[in-house]
Amino acid sequence: MKRILLPTDFSSLSHNAVDYALSLFAEQECEFFLLNVYRVPFMTNEELLENDAQQLATVEAELYETSQRGLKDLVSKVKKNKKHKFHVISDYNFFIQSVKNCVEEKKIELIVMGTKGATGAKEIFLGSNTGDVLMKTDCNMIAVPENARYASPKEIVLPTDFRLKYQRNDLEPLVQMARMNDSRIRILHFSESDHLEAEQEGNKRILDSYFEGLDHTYHTLTNIDFEEALNCFTQSRGDVDMIAIIAGHYNFFQRLFFRPKVMELSFHTKIPLFVLHHVK
């Protein structure tokens, strides 16, 4: 049974991510862990410590009860599915630490959470919490943009420069996702030339062997702005429902998602991002 973590702050953004996860895994047996993280604001905490520790405890207890009510209400509103089991977790903690604890203690295989999108004021498209989870945990994650609406991922784009030596275990979640949805995988190579070095050719052959039996094709874009190319490719395809990327592809990953220009790209506002981490 797949174990999936769903962080929520009860916003429409997080509700959208929950709905996406439940729809994506509608035919799979899953345990969903709904996590709400809360904290007393720092200044309030300091003031309460100075005046009355009991008052602080009371505030914490009230926040816990509010969190629990919100989680139970959320569970009551989700579409019922006999293949799904739900657990609720209210945690007084820092967000990233809470997520890391849950991943370890609950043996989480996948995190699904919402992202602010390119329209988020003064933020890269991932948002601070989602970016922290992506960079500071080793758990696979699906980041669901606020404007995304669920669609079975019939076409998944995998950007690459063929510089990473792929491992079968790292790509297995993507293979499973493609098989589960009868997806087509479009491997998109960005390069300054159309010539592959020997190392790149070898990595391409490895990738090809891992995707054997799946509908997968290769596409190359040369001498074109990296981010604009990915945006144009996804828009031109028309039916791209997911972008997958390997987190271990660090330099490539940094180029793609942590430059200010990313905020100009429209594809981030609607296409979920599937991040694959290295399996230890």
Side-chain angles (χ1 to χ4, degrees), residues 42-191:
F42 178 75
M43 290 305 296
T44 302
N45 193 6
E46 289 295 308
E47 293 168 359
L48 290 171
L49 282 173
E50 291 178 2
N51 297 313
D52 191 343
Q54 182 60 43
Q55 188 177 358
L56 174 59
T58 299
V59 171
E60 290 180 5
E62 290 175 350
L63 289 173
Y64 174 80
E65 290 300 324
T66 299
S67 175
Q68 282 285 293
R69 284 196 302 271
L71 289 169
K72 291 175 181 177
D73 181 59
L74 180 55
V75 171
S76 71
K77 291 179 179 179
V78 299
K79 185 177 181 181
K80 298 301 181 287
N81 186 327
K82 292 182 179 180
K83 295 185 178 184
H84 295 167
K85 293 183 179 180
F86 294 90
H87 308 273
V88 298
I89 304 171
S90 297
D91 192 16
Y92 180 76
N93 207 337
F94 293 105
F95 180 79
I96 186 60
Q97 188 58 53
S98 181
V99 170
K100 292 172 73 172
N101 290 345
C102 284
V103 168
E104 181 178 354
E105 295 169 6
K106 306 301 182 184
K107 302 186 185 306
I108 298 298
E109 302 169 58
L110 177 70
I111 302 168
V112 181
M113 62 187 296
T115 72
K116 271 293 187 182
T119 56
K122 298 182 180 179
E123 293 187 35
I124 59 175
F125 92 100
L126 287 173
S128 58
N129 281 341
T130 313
D132 279 348
V133 171
L134 191 150
M135 298 298 292
K136 297 178 182 179
T137 71
D138 295 324
C139 187
N140 294 339
M141 182 182 77
I142 297 177
V144 183
E146 57 186 338
N147 294 327
R149 294 296 176 264
Y150 175 74
S152 176
K154 295 304 181 184
E155 188 157 302
I156 303 173
V157 172
L158 176 66
T160 183
D161 58 7
F162 293 123
R163 299 259 177 212
L164 183 69
K165 188 172 183 178
Y166 306 99
Q167 302 295 323
R168 185 178 296 274
N169 286 345
D170 297 344
L171 288 170
E172 185 59 27
L174 176 57
V175 171
Q176 292 177 1
M177 181 70 70
R179 287 175 177 162
M180 184 174 76
N181 296 281
D182 194 23
S183 306
R184 301 175 295 275
I185 300 177
R186 306 309 183 203
I187 301 153
L188 183 59
H189 173 222
F190 293 94
S191 175

Side-chain angles (χ1 to χ4, degrees), residues 165-276:
K165 188 172 183 178
Y166 306 99
Q167 302 295 323
R168 185 178 296 274
N169 286 345
D170 297 344
L171 288 170
E172 185 59 27
L174 176 57
V175 171
Q176 292 177 1
M177 181 70 70
R179 287 175 177 162
M180 184 174 76
N181 296 281
D182 194 23
S183 306
R184 301 175 295 275
I185 300 177
R186 306 309 183 203
I187 301 153
L188 183 59
H189 173 222
F190 293 94
S191 175
E192 295 180 358
S193 72
D194 55 6
H195 174 72
L196 292 181
E197 299 173 6
E199 179 186 26
Q200 291 174 297
E201 288 282 6
N203 290 334
K204 182 179 178 181
R205 286 193 295 271
I206 291 173
L207 194 62
D208 202 40
S209 69
Y210 293 164
F211 291 149
E212 184 177 1
L214 295 174
D215 183 349
H216 64 286
T217 56
Y218 295 90
H219 307 262
T220 300
L221 295 176
T222 59
N223 297 318
I224 188 171
D225 183 87
F226 181 82
E227 293 85 357
E228 289 181 5
L230 180 55
N231 189 28
C232 291
F233 183 82
T234 55
Q235 290 186 349
S236 67
R237 301 296 301 180
D239 54 357
V240 173
D241 302 301
M242 183 176 286
I243 296 171
I245 191 163
I246 303 169
H249 215 149
Y250 188 76
N251 291 334
F252 184 77
F253 181 83
Q254 288 288 95
R255 286 176 61 201
L256 181 56
F257 295 115
F258 290 93
R259 288 175 57 183
K261 193 170 184 179
V262 171
M263 290 189 64
E264 301 174 10
L265 303 184
S266 61
F267 78 87
H268 292 314
T269 65
K270 61 183 179 181
I271 302 178
L273 175 70
F274 186 18
V275 182
L276 305 170

